[in-house]
């Protein structure tokens, strides 16, 4: 039998939230902050989500799932502190505990599917045997799927619709209220979103994520490829 090839995803991080009252109370708490319907969370599937501020701008996005009696939020590692600091004041009233200590995210071909050609393990006994992954190759999978994954330089700048998050089911328009919901819903139903996600290609040195380029590109959200090789990316313009 051939051993599974496991790889560490260095750009990814996890925030886990638990409660003595069970993960149902955690999901009820998150229902008021995440754009997805946390009542549908389960262990066998990863649910896309966004966390917005009061203006409907996405602070972070990623995937949520159940594991070890906790709710896990997978997001960019460099946004763990941002999300943890944002949720902490509200967690006090919910009697939930948050853990955002560095946890290794492992790419596993038999794990939960995030996008086509990208799956992750929810738990892994052989984590020490996982080799370093090519984050550029992982970014390529996200870009091929048109999934715009936010980093600190793009956090708080876009509505979910501008990032194409509604196409992934990250926004549920039938659930109850959540932070920023009124603006997100108004933009959806009144057709107020003029800037959209687009793909682009480049040659030579890669553009910098977060910078604004010519009108045909817009604000760069993600890139893959390096050096003099042709690369591709996603932008909002």
């Amino acid at each position: 039998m051939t051993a599974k090839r496991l790889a560490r995803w260095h750009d990814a991080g996890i925030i886990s939230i638990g409660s003595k009252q069970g993960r149902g109370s955690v999901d009820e708490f998150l229902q008021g902050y995440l754009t997805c319907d946390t009542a549908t969370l389960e262990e066998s599937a990863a649910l896309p989500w966004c966390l917005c501020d009061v203006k409907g701008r996405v602070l972070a996005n990623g995937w949520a799932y159940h594991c070890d009696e906790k709710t896990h939020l997978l997001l960019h590692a460099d946004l763990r502190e941002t999300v943890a600091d944002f949720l902490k004041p509200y967690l006090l009233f919910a009697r939930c505990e948050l853990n955002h200590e560095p946890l290794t995210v492992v790419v596993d071909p038999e794990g939960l599917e995030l996008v086509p050609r990208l799956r992750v393990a929810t738990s892994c006994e052989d984590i020490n045997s996982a080799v370093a992954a090519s984050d550029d190759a992982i970014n390529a999978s996200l870009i091929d799927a048109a999934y715009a994954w936010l980093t600190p330089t793009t956090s708080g700048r876009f509505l979910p619709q501008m990032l194409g998050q509604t196409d992934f089911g990250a926004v549920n328009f039938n659930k109850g209220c959540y932070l920023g919901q009124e603006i997100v819903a108004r933009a959806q139903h009144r057709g107020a979103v003029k800037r959209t996600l687009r793909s682009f290609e480049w040659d030579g040195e890669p553009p910098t994520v977060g910078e604004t380029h010519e009108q045909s590109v817009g604000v760069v959200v993600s890139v893959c490829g390096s050096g003099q090789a042709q690369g591709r990316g996603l932008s909002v313009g």
Side-chain angles (χ1 to χ4, degrees):
M1 180 180 295
T2 303
K4 292 191 299 183
R5 181 174 177 80
L6 305 176
R8 303 185 183 208
W9 185 4
H10 296 291
D11 282 347
I14 293 175
I15 289 178
S16 58
I17 305 175
S19 172
K20 294 180 180 179
Q21 298 174 332
R23 64 191 182 194
S25 63
V26 175
D27 296 342
E28 183 178 354
F29 161 73
L30 290 173
Q31 189 78 300
Y33 298 95
L34 301 186
T35 57
C36 63
D37 184 1
T38 57
T40 65
L41 275 174
E42 54 187 48
E43 293 188 7
S44 60
L47 182 64
W49 58 268
C50 297
L51 173 68
C52 298
D53 61 16
V54 294
K55 296 181 179 180
R57 264 40 183 188
V58 183
L59 298 176
N61 64 338
W63 300 266
Y65 56 89
H66 285 154
C67 182
D68 299 328
E69 297 304 318
K70 295 181 180 180
T71 299
H72 288 215
L73 303 179
L74 192 157
L75 70 167
H76 196 283
D78 293 338
L79 285 175
R80 283 194 305 252
E81 291 287 345
T82 298
V83 173
D85 291 343
F86 184 85
L87 292 177
K88 275 179 183 178
Y90 307 109
L91 283 164
L92 293 175
F93 298 99
R95 296 182 180 179
C96 297
E97 296 181 351
L98 180 149
N99 176 15
H100 66 288
E101 295 299 321
L103 297 174
T104 300
V105 178
V106 175
V107 177
D108 182 347
E110 298 178 6
L112 294 182
E113 182 177 81
L114 305 184
V115 297
R117 297 191 294 112
L118 180 58
R119 293 174 175 264
V120 296
T122 55
S123 61
C124 179
E125 296 179 356
D126 300 322
I127 194 169
N128 291 328
S129 65
V131 299
S134 168
D135 283 345
D136 191 65
I138 295 174
N139 285 339
S141 295
L142 295 174
I143 290 170
D144 289 344
Y147 185 89
W149 202 36
L150 292 188
T151 64
T153 56
T154 50
S155 172
R157 299 175 64 175
F158 310 107
L159 293 171
Q161 293 94 328
M162 295 176 184
L163 298 170
Q165 290 294 289
T166 52
D167 296 335
F168 288 90
V171 183
N172 187 298
F173 292 100
N174 298 316
K175 61 174 277 184
C177 295
Y178 57 86
L179 203 62
Q181 182 230 12
E182 183 177 352
I183 294 176
V184 173
R186 185 187 304 131
Q188 180 72 13
H189 298 302
R190 295 186 180 180
V193 179
K194 306 302 180 184
R195 302 165 65 195
T196 57
L197 191 70
R198 59 184 68 178
S199 60
F200 69 95
E201 295 182 349
W202 48 267
D203 290 300
E205 291 300 318
T208 301
V209 172
E211 289 188 351
T212 302
H213 289 257
E214 59 187 60
Q215 190 174 1
S216 62
V217 175
V219 181
V220 177
V221 177
S222 55
V223 296
C224 66
S226 58
Q228 299 302 311
Q230 185 182 63
R232 58 193 187 279
L234 297 174
S235 64
V236 175

